[in-house]
Amino acid sequence: MSHAGTVSFTPAELEAETERLFRVLLHVDCTPGKSWNYEACRGFAPLTLEINRLKKEKDAVILTHSYVEPEIVYGVGDFKGDSYFLSLMARESKAKVIVFAGVVFMAETAKILSPDATVIVPDRGSGCSLADSLTGDQLRKLKAAYPDAAVVCYINSTADVKAESDVCVTSGNVYDIIAALPQPRILFVPDRLMGENVRTELKRRGVAKEIITSDGTCIVHDVFDAAAVADARARFPGLKVVAHPECTPEVAAAADFVGSTGAMMKYVKTTSAPYYLMLTECGLVGRLQVETPEKHFIGGCRLCPYMKLNSLEKVRDALAAPRPDQIVTLDEEIRRRAARCIDRMFELAPAIKG
Ligand code: 13P
Ligand code: SF4
């Protein structure tokens, strides 16, 4: 018998779980200094077995953003994807407990949408340079300076900021939703670079809008460099460059495709190229190495220090007996107003897509 926490497993159960993990993770190579070889999978197995048992006991689901380590995504995740998909899953969930392996703003969003569930964030330090760049007070001041503007917040924002906004957007629907709003002036927060990309895209579509932004950026995406893209293209003929809209407009212009992490995955899965350069967090490359092992990814991606605070141990501990700091709580009035702004996104997004 082996033990993980208070749960014990037979050698056969451990061997079967190790085998299951290894078969999924054998092609992964997305975090420098880390390995997903058989030995590593043997190390993950007691934890994934324990977490999967705890999930049943506690009536819990685990939502995993694609940027967290693949042993979490594929070992214990019930749903994996981008912010839009995971928000939908949180809203539809009937589970008593939602563990969000992502960052704090994502767990807050789950609590906004599923207020009766106990929502757990494995590491309270898992912030986001975008969400942390703007407070509700700062947004109130900006709104006073632009009273006629529609206030659009990127989902990477605090509950307070969402409560002050008219509509929320994600990287997957930002262009369509802003284009569909009747107001000619948009106050878009908190991502300055995404705001610049919106400006360019709406101009290309012939949609006249004035886009005013606050000054946040994503510390992972704001450093990709268009000169490095040109260099990679020269070294890898036929290369496809895939970027997230949190990158600079120069990088977005140099890419073959720009979209949410979900759309980036779809693009890779549905195109054929000898090499791909993924200008985003490297966890997405891990997912693609699992799901498209025949494709080749060249270097370029970076790690989000906040997403990487998640671990199987923290998920297990939070599920077994969450500390108060791991349980998301929100003022009910803020939650209600923030829910209105996210619901507006759900009203607008399917209509645009459909
Ligand atoms: P996606 O919604 O595209 O997954 O983006 C989330 C994020 O934090 C990107 O940095
Ligand atoms: Fe925030 Fe950037 Fe990390 Fe996404 S990758 S969670 S935007 S810091």
Side-chain angles (χ1 to χ4, degrees):
M1 284 286 185
S2 300
H3 294 267
T6 55
V7 185
S8 46
F9 311 102
T10 64
E13 283 174 314
L14 274 176
E15 213 42 52
E17 181 68 351
T18 303
E19 196 61 42
R20 176 185 82 85
L21 293 170
F22 182 62
R23 265 197 231 114
V24 175
L25 301 175
L26 81 168
H27 296 292
V28 174
D29 171 25
C30 63
T31 301
K34 203 170 156 177
S35 159
W36 285 267
N37 60 22
Y38 201 84
E39 269 321 292
C41 292
R42 200 191 291 281
F44 300 141
L47 284 161
T48 56
L49 280 171
E50 184 178 8
I51 292 167
N52 287 324
R53 271 190 202 171
L54 278 168
K55 275 195 313 197
K56 285 194 196 118
E57 256 172 61
K58 308 261 174 183
D59 185 16
V61 289
I62 302 187
L63 308 188
T64 58
H65 190 270
S66 298
Y67 291 165
V68 304
E69 294 288 24
E71 68 273 17
I72 305 177
V73 175
Y74 294 100
V76 300
D78 295 294
F79 299 102
K80 46 186 174 291
D82 63 13
S83 307
Y84 184 80
F85 175 72
L86 295 175
S87 310
L88 261 185
M89 293 305 102
R91 187 163 83 148
E92 286 173 10
S93 170
K94 301 277 179 285
K96 276 202 191 118
V97 178
I98 298 174
V99 179
F100 211 123
V103 291
V104 169
F105 82 79
M106 295 179 177
E108 268 187 6
T109 303
K111 182 69 183 174
I112 292 166
L113 296 170
S114 224
D116 296 334
T118 300
V119 177
I120 291 175
V121 59
D123 192 314
R124 178 51 73 167
S126 55
C128 164
S129 63
L130 281 171
D132 299 341
S133 72
L134 188 74
T135 64
D137 268 350
Q138 288 167 327
L139 178 53
R140 273 189 288 280
K141 286 191 188 114
L142 272 174
K143 281 168 65 172
Y146 301 99
D148 59 333
V151 182
V152 180
C153 67
Y154 184 30
I155 198 163
N156 296 37
S157 54
T158 63
D160 285 357
V161 164
K162 289 184 176 81
E164 289 294 330
S165 300
D166 298 315
V167 58
C168 179
V169 295
T170 70
S171 53
N173 54 37
V174 54
Y175 303 137
D176 291 341
I177 288 183
I178 292 184
L181 292 175
Q183 293 88 339
R185 183 180 258 188
I186 308 290
L187 177 53
F188 178 69
V189 294
D191 191 341
R192 174 172 55 82
L193 297 176
M194 188 176 284
E196 289 174 22
N197 287 320
V198 171
R199 222 174 267 146
T200 308
E201 174 60 17
L202 294 192
K203 204 167 176 188
R204 191 190 67 77
R205 295 184 185 189
V207 178
K209 296 266 181 225
E210 184 190 357
I211 311 285
I212 298 144
T213 67
S214 62
D215 198 25
T217 62
C218 163
I219 54 166
V220 174
H221 292 89
D222 67 1
V223 292
F224 290 118
D225 170 20
V229 172
D231 182 51
R233 282 197 194 280
R235 288 195 297 132
F236 295 92
L239 177 74
K240 291 275 189 221
V241 179
V242 189
H244 195 275
E246 291 168 9
C247 293
T248 65
E250 295 73 27
V251 166
D256 296 291
F257 179 80
V258 181
S260 68
T261 55
M264 292 169 93
M265 280 195 75
K266 190 167 171 204
Y267 177 81
V268 172
K269 287 180 175 183
T270 54
T271 55
S272 160
Y275 304 100
Y276 291 88
L277 173 62
M278 305 302 293
L279 300 178
T280 191
E281 212 277 345
C282 227
L284 197 73
V285 173
R287 283 211 53 197
L288 286 163
Q289 286 170 332
V290 169
E291 296 184 27
T292 60
E294 72 288 358
K295 308 239 170 178
H296 299 288
F297 301 95
I298 65 160
C301 61
R302 287 171 43 87
L303 303 182
C304 172
Y306 308 111
M307 290 280 183
K308 267 31 190 189
L309 287 174
N310 287 277
S311 67
L312 286 172
E313 286 84 354
K314 289 180 196 173
V315 170
R316 188 265 319 271
D317 294 347
L319 199 47
R323 295 189 308 268
D325 66 283
Q326 291 170 314
I327 299 175
V328 178
T329 54
L330 293 170
D331 171 86
E332 180 53 20
E333 173 63 9
I334 301 274
R335 189 205 65 77
R336 212 183 39 75
R337 288 168 55 212
R340 210 170 43 200
C341 136
I342 304 174
D343 285 343
R344 185 92 201 281
M345 168 179 79
F346 287 126
E347 283 158 28
L348 291 172
I352 290 163
K353 279 188 186 148

